[in-house]
Amino acid sequence: MAASTVKSSIARQPTIVLFKASPLRFGGRIPMSQNRTLDARQSVIAPKAVSPRSSSSRQALQEDAAYREEVLRLAQSSLSNCLTETQLDFSVPGLSSKSRGKVRDVYEAGEYLVLVTTDRQSAFDRILASIPFKGQVLNQTSQWWFNKTQDITPNAVVCTPDPNVTIARKCTVFPVEFVVRGFVTGSTDTSLWTVYNKGIRNYCGNILSEGMVKNQKLPTNILTPTTKAIDHDVPVTPKEIIELGLMTQEEFEEASSKALRLFAFGQKVALDHGLVLVDTKYEFGKASDGSILLIDEVHTPDSSRYWIADSYEERFANGLEPENVDKEFLRLWFRDHCNPYEDKVLPDAPEELICELSWRYIFLYETITNSRFLIASSEETIHDRITRNVARALSSL
């Protein structure tokens, strides 16, 4: 099916239409010029020639094996320099009340929040590893999407003073995650495929038809909310959200409408860049003026699942897992080697998998934004750099 046919179908309804092309080899592809190089001394992934994407996603995802190997090499050399923890409350005047999330360290600064995106990798409600450059990728990917979606919903972002940092307006966070799905897939306890495979046909208020198989496209996108919890998110229906007092009817309707619109837009943009946005989660908060704001992150490889569009249908027809550009392959490795929910001690993820995930995160950023990924300078420690940039930003607010 031609890409133009796919796009016109999306315009009619907010779902992904499948099309067939040759498969992509493990590790992903990205368009690169022949003279593209990495120089760790410059601490930069050198810029590529940026040009409009072709209507053929296969052409737009040409492989440059040399570039990929250089990214993997740089990730390998950075394994001991990941940002796994911050202590800005001791190094930046005016910061207080640090809270540690699965990935982000959050600090209060008066009417603002300082959100530091670390390199911690979470899944199964646990920290699995630290991934080089991951925090920077997540923060900058989110900023790209925040800028692109302001016509759909306002967001809480004030500024991004550092590659790993966002300063945001403080607001009251709704204790609900708005998970939107376009496919029956996943490997965690709350994933759609896991619950469907157990025989559940009414999930979060959505009636699911019989006979679906893993990685199959849903007839339409669905919303499967969960309550936000410290240890484990719990699926919840819209009716329960209102009855539990988590949100008012009006708040839920506005946030859910925004979530579905954000996802439909994300699907279209992803497909234009040769990717399938499979599912994602959004979080919202209420500002002091009563407006509902998009917060946290948007369409990152942590909050979202992405597949390579060209090879999806062929691999699905052959019963193969889609080629993903997110953390799913790491989740599957832990599923195969331990019980990630119950084992007290988990095995260490192989370094080659960690570096591969670092590559995929960079690949996603460059593919989605159609721009270069610049690794921040290594002339000072990451923590010192963040301290300097945050202190300067707060002094000017």
Side-chain angles (χ1 to χ4, degrees), residues 346-368:
L346 300 183
D348 292 333
E351 288 187 358
E352 58 268 27
L353 286 187
I354 292 176
C355 294
E356 174 67 27
L357 188 54
S358 180
W359 154 251
R360 293 190 190 199
Y361 274 38
I362 291 173
F363 165 81
L364 175 69
Y365 172 83
E366 294 197 339
T367 302
I368 285 292

Side-chain angles (χ1 to χ4, degrees), residues 290-325:
S291 59
I292 293 180
L293 306 178
L294 180 64
I295 64 171
D296 196 45
E297 60 184 322
V298 191
H299 298 161
T300 72
D302 255 23
S303 66
S304 314
R305 200 184 313 268
Y306 286 93
W307 294 337
I308 301 296
D310 270 354
S311 63
Y312 165 74
E313 186 173 312
E314 183 171 337
R315 293 181 69 86
F316 176 71
N318 292 325
L320 301 174
E321 284 293 316
E323 293 176 298
N324 62 75
V325 198

Side-chain angles (χ1 to χ4, degrees), residues 57-298:
S57 60
R58 180 167 50 173
Q59 180 180 346
L61 292 172
Q62 295 297 315
E63 183 179 50
D64 187 325
Y67 174 66
R68 177 174 177 271
E69 288 304 314
E70 290 189 61
V71 174
L72 293 174
R73 175 181 57 80
L74 190 56
Q76 172 77 27
S77 67
S78 301
L79 287 171
S80 61
N81 192 37
C82 291
L83 182 66
T84 57
E85 192 73 33
T86 64
Q87 299 292 339
L88 297 188
D89 45 340
F90 294 107
S91 59
V92 178
L95 289 189
S96 62
S97 187
K98 173 188 173 182
S99 60
R100 186 180 190 272
K102 294 174 183 176
V103 175
R104 288 169 183 79
D105 291 344
V106 182
Y107 301 86
E108 293 192 18
E111 60 183 299
Y112 305 110
L113 293 177
V114 176
L115 301 95
V116 183
T117 308
T118 72
D119 296 326
R120 297 192 294 263
Q121 182 65 62
S122 71
F124 308 109
D125 305 313
R126 305 176 71 164
I127 304 300
L128 303 180
S130 291
I131 311 299
F133 319 127
K134 178 200 164 188
Q136 182 181 342
V137 169
L138 295 189
N139 194 56
Q140 294 184 330
T141 300
S142 283
Q143 293 315 306
W144 190 88
W145 283 107
F146 276 129
N147 290 333
K148 294 292 184 181
T149 57
Q150 293 183 77
D151 61 329
I152 298 176
T153 177
N155 58 66
V157 175
V158 175
C159 63
T160 53
D162 182 271
N164 288 72
V165 179
T166 293
I167 297 180
R169 295 170 58 186
K170 190 181 292 184
C171 58
T172 303
V173 179
F174 294 116
V176 175
E177 290 192 348
F178 287 76
V179 182
V180 186
R181 306 178 188 274
F183 290 75
V184 185
T185 192
S187 58
T188 63
D189 282 355
T190 57
S191 71
L192 190 55
W193 170 246
T194 299
V195 299
Y196 186 87
N197 199 35
K198 292 179 179 178
I200 296 174
R201 295 296 180 267
N202 186 336
Y203 190 49
C204 300
N206 300 285
I207 305 302
L208 306 173
S209 61
E210 296 290 343
M212 290 194 291
V213 297
K214 188 179 183 185
N215 302 324
Q216 181 176 340
K217 175 181 167 291
L218 290 163
T220 187
N221 297 329
I222 64 173
L223 180 66
T224 60
T226 65
T227 59
K228 286 175 61 65
I230 296 177
D231 296 324
H232 192 63
D233 297 336
V234 180
V236 63
T237 67
K239 182 180 179 181
E240 290 170 335
I241 290 173
I242 309 306
E243 291 176 344
L244 292 170
L246 304 179
M247 303 179 74
T248 67
Q249 183 72 43
E250 294 75 17
E251 291 168 342
F252 175 77
E253 289 178 356
E254 180 178 345
S256 59
S257 174
K258 288 179 175 179
L260 289 168
R261 289 172 61 199
L262 286 166
F263 189 65
F265 175 74
Q267 285 181 310
K268 182 182 185 304
V269 171
L271 192 60
D272 285 344
H273 294 75
L275 300 172
V276 176
L277 177 59
V278 180
D279 51 42
T280 195
K281 64 96 176 171
Y282 306 102
E283 296 187 42
F284 296 93
K286 197 167 189 177
S288 57
D289 62 3
S291 59
I292 293 180
L293 306 178
L294 180 64
I295 64 171
D296 196 45
E297 60 184 322
V298 191

